[in-house]
Amino acid sequence: MNNIDPFNIRRSSALSILQSGALVAAKSAGTYTHQALESGRGALETGKHTLKEARVFSDDSMSFSLPNNVPSFTNPQRRFEDGTWGSSGRVHQRNADTGNSVGDKIGGYFDKRELPMYKDKPYSYSAPRKQSIFQMKRFYGGLILLLIGLLYWTGFLSRSTTIPKEFEGSGKGVWSWLQKPEPVVVDWLERRERVKEAFILSWDGYERNAWGYDEYHPISKTGRQMVPQGMGWIIVDALDTLMLMNLTSRLSHAREWISTSLNYTQDHEVNTFETTIRMLGGLLSAHYLSTTFPDMAPLSEVVEGAPGEDLYVEKATDLADRLLGAYDSPTGVPYASVNLKTLQGITSHDDGGASSTAEAASLQLEMKYLAKLTGEKNYWDKAERVIQVIDDNGMRDGLLPIFIYPQTGTFRGDNIRLGSRGDSYYEYLIKQYLQTSKQEPIYLDMWDQALNGVRRHLITYSEHSQLTFLAERPDGLNKAISPKMDHLVCFMPGTIALGATGGLTEVEAKKSGAWGKKQEEEMDLARQLTKTCWGMYKVTATGLAPEIAHFNIDDPPKMEGDGARSPDVLSDAPDAKWRSDYIVKPQDSHNLQRPETVESLFYMWRITGDDIYRQWGWEMFKAFVNYTTVDDGGGFTSLDNANQLPPKQRDNMESFWLAETLKYFYLLFSPDDLLPLDQIVINTEAHIFPRFELGKLFSTGWKRKPRGSDGNVVNEPEQDEAGKGKVKTLETVQTKTFTG
């Protein structure tokens, strides 16, 4: 195997390793003493990181060893308290390496960061014992002066190149393993390290070329802000991925930026939904992982004056308080946007002022978890109210149009789909049920109704190979079906499997006593849909899915129950019949590095235990590496057309490439006890939250309107002239156009 040692570690002395590790920090050193000291401190931290990770490079490939700190999952998950907690003062111990290497000795000084569980302004937190000011100054001063002298002596303070030689030139050149035959026996941990390499290349390119910017353009190596001072769009979204991959020094840099540069007091509007799932979700997930699994990328000891250990939740609370302005509509349905400074909700500039249904109804996991953490019930009530308003419309079979008016709480138009604007509403129904430990059956009832509606009205089959796909009804349930499926819809098979088993494996669920024909059918549907999503990758020239696929269907189309069945295996033959069922239109052929299919592969592998889903994921990952890598260490980018060779690259790295796509690949190739599915819920941006019980403070604050056997809402019994009760069936609520 060929060696790809990007930092030239195995051929460098300890001194040269320190020099290369300190490179980026040394660039910021100037003539001022303060700058020099800060540069030295950063150089030491980076040098420590380089030394500790040097050992993980093999002589045969650019791959890393298992993380030094692997969390234990043997302890039962902690239970959350009600209300506002006081700090326990209990400190998590960091189990650092105990070896005698240089890296171990340096790490001993820095890997002692305490991150106690957030307790809402801890008042009994016991700070670590401090050395005297004189001792600390003398020690750190001498160490810094020594390092600066070494850097000056070797001429490193004047160097500007930061891209390792192995990353210079062709982006694909560093991935020599792509050209090697697949091994007979698969090492999934080795494949996981390939994913970690891709993340490091992406993150380091961003860190080097666009640090602090909300957008990153890896080809031009530039960044752009979405708001004047930036939102930390990429940094915050990737926090929990950094933790899972045990990238300690990079996490430390990200946390420092959040502490010193992230400021939400900006007179600018932001999208309510995207800010909630990415930023609020990212901060909450970082809190959960750093407190529940403290050995994931443990940070060094807090020094006097450094930010508190509750940084993530303090930032999350600040952001959530600003987002609450979006809920101040006449109905409580949030406006599409909110001004972060004025806290004013802002109606959508398009779609007649209507909000997206998915966006309005995919804020609940985040707000409920924050409410549980802080004891602030207002977050819970605001988010819960949205679902009640939506459900009170009584839409047929639980399927909703994709736009809703905040002013009236009624829907706009009749377009029903589970792609853009509709998707995560359905996802959050079953996940709300699981988040509160199955103590809110109202959400299971809504999920079951909606899934039955999907099977009745939207599941159909392709013409030649009977591939199962989830279509659209753009003009309502009584009008023609549209044979179109967004890649976004590929979240659905994994979610169906999650709903069928509750996060248990299929084997465990079948032994639980709650298994029957319904669950069998749902798992079969999940398998068939996953295969169709995999086919969206196989059918293109690059092996990467288009944004949207259309299908050839029969006239009239086959629906569930008509006996259609796809082949068990999608043949690799260029003229395979199944390929003719897919239609990829030029305007839909772009690939945005989306995560939905690998997300479902992760759920399907965890739940079924079938390695075929890991193998499909590996083929997908190789295609991403082969066709989306950017030259000169820039990272990875989206494609303009995934169905041509060579593909035209777009010069944009989506934040969800780091937050979702690579995270799901990493989890797919990890052991199945890393973040057990029956203990967590994952939001629609792949941020990880714990399951918890309602406790005394929280409850389901609403009830569904009574429904008849057909699922339509019915009135409460009313008295007729004879004094006898009668029940009147209501028509399904009609949608209307609101001009705003």
Side-chain angles (χ1 to χ4, degrees):
M1 298 172 65
N2 295 329
N3 178 48
I4 298 179
D5 181 5
F7 302 109
N8 205 30
I9 288 172
R10 289 188 175 272
R11 292 175 292 279
S12 303
S13 66
L15 176 59
S16 65
I17 293 173
L18 265 178
Q19 292 168 344
S20 62
L23 190 57
V24 175
K27 284 180 61 181
S28 63
T31 58
Y32 297 97
T33 302
H34 175 72
Q35 290 175 314
L37 293 176
E38 288 300 311
S39 178
R41 182 183 302 172
L44 280 173
E45 180 65 16
T46 310
K48 176 206 69 170
H49 162 72
T50 305
L51 283 168
K52 293 185 73 175
E53 292 192 351
R55 297 168 298 185
V56 305
F57 287 93
S58 71
D59 288 330
D60 298 320
S61 64
M62 178 190 168
S63 60
F64 299 80
S65 71
L66 284 170
N68 292 329
N69 299 284
V70 179
S72 170
F73 296 94
T74 57
N75 293 330
Q77 179 182 327
R78 66 174 176 84
R79 297 293 183 184
F80 289 82
E81 301 281 335
D82 293 315
T84 303
W85 296 320
S87 172
S88 66
R90 184 165 54 90
V91 178
H92 295 294
Q93 295 297 321
R94 302 298 196 261
N95 297 320
D97 294 340
T98 56
N100 295 317
S101 66
V102 176
D104 295 323
K105 293 177 181 178
I106 295 178
Y109 286 106
F110 292 92
D111 277 348
K112 298 178 182 177
R113 177 70 174 260
E114 318 282 60
L115 283 174
M117 184 172 60
Y118 176 73
K119 300 293 185 182
D120 191 25
K121 309 291 186 184
Y123 55 82
S124 62
Y125 171 66
S126 300
R129 182 175 61 87
K130 298 183 177 63
Q131 294 177 300
S132 71
I133 294 177
F134 175 77
Q135 289 176 319
M136 292 177 66
K137 285 184 176 179
R138 183 173 59 181
F139 172 78
Y140 286 114
L143 197 61
I144 291 168
L145 288 174
L146 175 61
L147 178 64
I148 293 173
L150 289 172
L151 294 175
Y152 178 81
W153 175 59
T154 58
F156 260 60
L157 288 176
S158 62
R159 292 195 182 184
S160 60
T161 302
T162 60
I163 303 174
K165 291 182 179 179
E166 287 78 1
F167 285 127
E168 294 176 353
S170 173
K172 290 190 293 184
V174 302
W175 309 105
S176 61
W177 52 266
L178 278 172
Q179 284 72 49
K180 296 180 180 179
E182 296 289 359
V184 176
V185 178
V186 174
D187 184 343
W188 291 108
L189 291 180
E190 181 181 350
R191 290 183 172 182
R192 182 176 77 166
E193 295 311 302
R194 305 297 190 196
V195 177
K196 185 175 180 179
E197 293 165 9
F199 180 93
I200 289 173
L201 181 61
S202 301
W203 178 268
D204 287 359
Y206 166 71
E207 188 176 38
R208 184 168 55 248
N209 300 311
W211 182 247
Y213 284 94
D214 295 324
E215 297 179 8
Y216 174 44
H217 307 295
I219 296 176
S220 58
K221 296 179 175 55
T222 59
R224 192 179 77 87
Q225 298 292 25
M226 298 167 56
V227 299
Q229 299 176 42
M231 287 279 290
W233 207 250
I234 293 174
I235 295 172
V236 174
D237 217 8
L239 283 172
D240 52 4
T241 312
L242 289 165
M243 293 177 180
L244 283 170
M245 295 184 179
N246 207 46
L247 298 173
T248 307
S249 66
R250 293 170 177 86
L251 175 63
S252 180
H253 191 199
R255 182 180 169 92
E256 179 187 14
W257 186 92
I258 292 170
S259 173
T260 60
S261 301
L262 182 56
N263 176 23
Y264 292 127
T265 308
Q266 301 189 53
D267 191 7
H268 200 281
E269 66 179 80
V270 297
N271 180 275
T272 306
F273 164 74
E274 297 288 357
T275 305
T276 297
I277 65 167
R278 300 191 195 207
M279 300 297 94
L280 183 59
L283 290 165
L284 292 174
S285 182
H287 163 75
Y288 170 60
L289 293 184
S290 65
T291 55
T292 308
F293 308 113
D295 289 334
M296 283 186 181
L299 297 181
S300 54
E301 183 179 18
V302 178
V303 298
E304 190 172 4
E309 66 288 332
D310 54 357
L311 171 67
Y312 299 133
V313 176
E314 286 187 348
K315 289 292 186 181
T317 303
D318 179 25
L319 178 58
D321 288 343
R322 298 170 191 276
L323 291 171
L324 286 180
Y327 295 80
D328 290 338
S329 70
T331 63
V333 173
Y335 293 111
S337 301
V338 63
N339 186 293
L340 289 174
K341 183 175 182 180
T342 66
L343 315 186
Q344 294 297 308
I346 301 166
T347 57
S348 174
H349 302 298
D350 300 310
D351 309 310
S355 297
S356 158
T357 301
E359 294 185 359
S362 304
L363 315 167
Q364 287 66 33
L365 296 180
E366 297 79 7
M367 286 296 192
K368 286 184 172 182
Y369 179 35
L370 182 59
K372 190 68 177 179
L373 281 173
T374 63
E376 294 292 338
K377 195 170 181 294
N378 189 40
Y379 301 130
W380 185 289
D381 294 340
K382 291 284 190 181
E384 183 181 63
R385 169 67 180 164
V386 179
I387 305 300
Q388 180 181 5
V389 172
I390 287 174
D391 195 58
D392 281 353
N393 278 275
M395 300 308 295
R396 178 181 168 191
D397 290 332
L399 300 180
L400 312 182
I402 60 173
F403 293 106
I404 186 169
Y405 293 113
Q407 298 88 346
T408 63
T410 56
F411 292 103
R412 179 181 194 261
D414 300 304
N415 193 345
I416 293 174
R417 67 185 185 216
L418 270 73
S420 61
R421 308 282 190 172
D423 47 4
S424 48
Y425 160 74
Y426 303 93
E427 175 189 356
Y428 271 36
L429 292 179
I430 187 61
K431 288 184 176 180
Q432 284 185 83
Y433 172 65
L434 298 176
Q435 181 182 39
T436 52
S437 303
K438 303 181 181 181
Q439 294 180 336
E440 295 185 279
I442 191 171
Y443 297 111
L444 177 62
D445 184 44
M446 294 176 69
W447 163 254
D448 284 339
Q449 182 189 15
L451 182 55
N452 287 335
V454 166
R455 295 173 63 181
R456 182 178 303 168
H457 300 289
L458 301 180
I459 293 296
T460 187
Y461 304 89
S462 65
E463 179 180 9
H464 301 107
S465 295
Q466 287 77 56
L467 295 168
T468 305
F469 68 98
L470 207 163
E472 300 180 358
R473 296 276 185 174
D475 299 310
L477 297 181
N478 294 326
K479 298 295 178 66
I481 199 168
S482 172
K484 166 180 173 284
M485 189 169 89
D486 295 357
H487 185 274
L488 287 165
V489 178
C490 288
F491 83 93
M492 193 61 174
T495 304
I496 292 172
L498 177 66
T501 69
L504 299 174
T505 67
E506 194 173 16
V507 172
E508 292 169 337
K510 287 181 177 180
K511 296 177 180 178
S512 68
W515 194 265
K517 180 181 178 182
K518 172 180 178 292
Q519 287 75 21
E520 287 283 358
E521 291 177 348
E522 289 175 0
M523 286 301 303
D524 182 64
L525 177 59
R527 287 181 168 91
Q528 296 302 317
L529 286 173
T530 305
K531 181 167 56 180
T532 302
C533 290
W534 164 231
M536 291 175 69
Y537 285 75
K538 285 178 67 70
V539 79
T540 68
T542 62
L544 295 173
E547 181 73 358
I548 299 170
H550 291 75
F551 294 83
N552 287 309
I553 59 173
D554 295 302
D555 186 13
K558 293 185 178 71
M559 303 300 289
E560 188 176 76
D562 289 342
R565 191 74 182 180
S566 66
D568 292 335
V569 178
L570 299 182
S571 169
D572 292 333
D575 59 348
K577 184 169 64 173
W578 66 267
R579 295 180 184 274
S580 64
D581 282 335
Y582 288 88
I583 303 171
V584 179
K585 300 180 179 181
Q587 66 269 27
D588 303 328
S589 62
H590 50 286
N591 179 282
L592 300 181
Q593 307 172 293
R594 289 201 183 275
E596 289 77 22
T597 296
V598 66
E599 172 185 351
S600 280
L601 294 179
F602 163 65
Y603 280 110
M604 293 300 292
W605 172 68
R606 281 288 186 93
I607 289 170
T608 68
D610 191 340
D611 271 351
I612 190 62
Y613 300 114
R614 298 177 109 182
Q615 188 57 45
W616 290 353
W618 178 242
E619 296 300 320
M620 288 164 50
F621 176 70
K622 288 194 299 182
F624 275 117
V625 171
N626 201 25
Y627 293 110
T628 71
T629 308
V630 172
D631 288 348
D632 297 323
F636 294 81
T637 187
S638 304
L639 300 180
D640 264 340
N641 189 343
N643 207 23
Q644 72 176 27
L645 293 176
K648 181 181 178 182
Q649 296 184 328
R650 269 199 169 183
D651 195 19
N652 187 60
M653 183 194 77
E654 299 288 348
S655 76
F656 52 68
W657 168 249
L658 302 179
E660 297 187 76
T661 308
L662 289 177
K663 181 188 294 166
Y664 278 124
F665 276 125
Y666 188 82
L667 290 171
L668 177 63
F669 303 146
S670 292
D672 59 8
D673 60 352
L674 177 61
L675 302 177
L677 288 181
D678 60 347
Q679 297 178 23
I680 60 171
V681 289
I682 305 176
N683 88 338
T684 197
E685 187 71 8
H687 294 311
I688 302 153
F689 306 151
R691 299 191 189 188
F692 55 81
E693 295 185 354
L694 288 172
K696 297 179 180 179
L697 183 60
F698 300 102
S699 62
T700 307
W702 67 286
K703 296 181 179 180
R704 302 191 78 187
K705 290 182 177 179
R707 283 165 168 77
S709 58
D710 59 358
N712 288 338
V713 173
V714 298
N715 275 338
E716 297 290 345
E718 59 183 33
Q719 299 295 316
D720 59 16
E721 293 180 358
K724 297 180 179 180
K726 61 180 181 179
V727 176
K728 178 182 178 182
T729 302
L730 295 180
E731 298 292 335
T732 300
V733 174
Q734 298 297 311
T735 59
K736 62 180 180 179
T737 300
F738 181 80
T739 60

